[in-house]
Amino acid sequence: MKLPITKRRVRNHLTYAWWQYVLLVCLAVFGWNLIYTTTRYRSPEHLKVEWYGEGYVATEQQEQIDALLAGLHGELFPDMEEVTFTPVAYDDTYGNMQLIVWASAGQGDLYTLSEEAYKNLASSGAMLDLQPYIDDGTLNVEGIDLKKGYVTDSETGKRYLTGIPMDSLTGLESYGLAPQGKVMSILASGGNTENTMKLMKWLLENMRE
């Protein structure tokens, strides 16, 4: 803008250069968001329990699940910073790739997946062997047919029980979660096995009707 500055020159300038100011505002907002996203505090893996559940969940049902976990947070996980549920929209084309990426990155702790998705992930050795926790009485699986929870490790050829079929956990239906055909398992590299086991144990004891 030329000097001296007059109302006419200001109006003329804004008429032809208004987009520059819009661009500057957008860049400022984007830059602030980028700085916040990269610098904001994130809870370490050992201080959070993340439940990834396959399926669509409506907003109201998500709020119910969040309220349930908020109650369990104080009861079972007083030392944890976060206890969360994330619905997973499993895609037939890229779903397995997405799960493998999450597992490789140690994302998520408790996984509740359809049998096919579960076996695709568990056969790579990504899920925790649950047999020791059943043997020592930590997990009560009485009356549950465990056949769908067994997988064969693709590298060793050994057979492991890494999942608990969820068909009997019908109490989850009141939260919009369909347990039929799903398998519950724990990510071996999740970083918080002890507390994730508490959540699995609670679901087995309180969601069976």
Side-chain angles (χ1 to χ4, degrees):
M1 185 181 297
K2 296 180 180 180
L3 295 176
I5 298 175
T6 64
K7 290 184 178 179
R8 181 179 178 183
R9 285 177 174 173
V10 169
R11 286 197 298 269
N12 186 63
H13 174 75
L14 292 177
T15 299
Y16 295 100
W18 62 268
W19 62 270
Q20 297 177 12
Y21 295 96
V22 174
L23 179 61
L24 284 174
V25 170
C26 291
L27 288 174
V29 172
F30 174 77
W32 173 256
N33 183 66
L34 181 63
I35 292 172
Y36 172 77
T37 301
T38 55
T39 60
R40 71 181 176 86
Y41 174 77
R42 290 179 174 81
S43 299
E45 294 299 328
H46 69 283
L47 289 179
K48 59 184 178 181
V49 179
E50 297 177 299
W51 173 5
Y52 284 12
E54 182 181 344
Y56 171 78
V57 176
T59 301
E60 181 180 349
Q61 294 163 335
Q62 178 72 55
E63 291 174 351
Q64 291 178 320
I65 299 171
D66 291 342
L68 170 67
L69 294 181
L72 294 180
H73 192 170
E75 178 184 344
L76 300 178
F77 318 106
D79 298 327
M80 295 294 100
E81 293 184 354
E82 295 181 34
V83 182
T84 60
F85 173 84
T86 301
V88 176
Y90 185 79
D91 180 86
D92 290 336
T93 304
Y94 301 106
N96 289 333
M97 185 183 302
Q98 182 183 47
L99 291 175
I100 290 173
V101 170
W102 284 343
S104 300
Q107 285 186 245
D109 297 294
L110 182 74
Y111 278 72
T112 53
L113 304 170
S114 61
E115 182 182 355
E116 180 181 358
Y118 156 71
K119 289 194 171 180
N120 285 333
L121 185 59
S123 61
S124 66
M127 312 315 287
L128 186 71
D129 182 6
L130 300 178
Q131 192 62 57
Y133 299 93
I134 294 174
D135 293 341
D136 68 12
T138 300
L139 298 176
N140 178 11
V141 295
E142 184 178 358
I144 297 178
D145 186 349
L146 299 174
K147 285 187 295 186
K148 294 180 180 178
Y150 282 94
V151 294
T152 300
D153 190 292
S154 57
E155 293 185 2
T156 65
K158 292 184 178 180
R159 190 169 170 80
Y160 297 98
L161 177 63
T162 56
I164 307 296
M166 299 173 60
D167 299 80
S168 61
L169 305 186
T170 53
L172 290 172
E173 293 174 352
S174 61
Y175 297 92
L177 301 176
Q180 289 75 23
K182 302 285 178 58
V183 180
M184 178 166 54
S185 57
I186 295 177
L187 190 67
S189 61
N192 201 348
T193 298
E194 180 181 352
N195 285 288
T196 309
M197 189 62 64
K198 290 180 183 179
L199 179 56
M200 177 178 277
K201 175 182 171 66
W202 189 91
L203 291 173
L204 285 171
E205 293 176 351
N206 294 274
M207 290 294 144
R208 274 197 272 183
E209 296 182 351

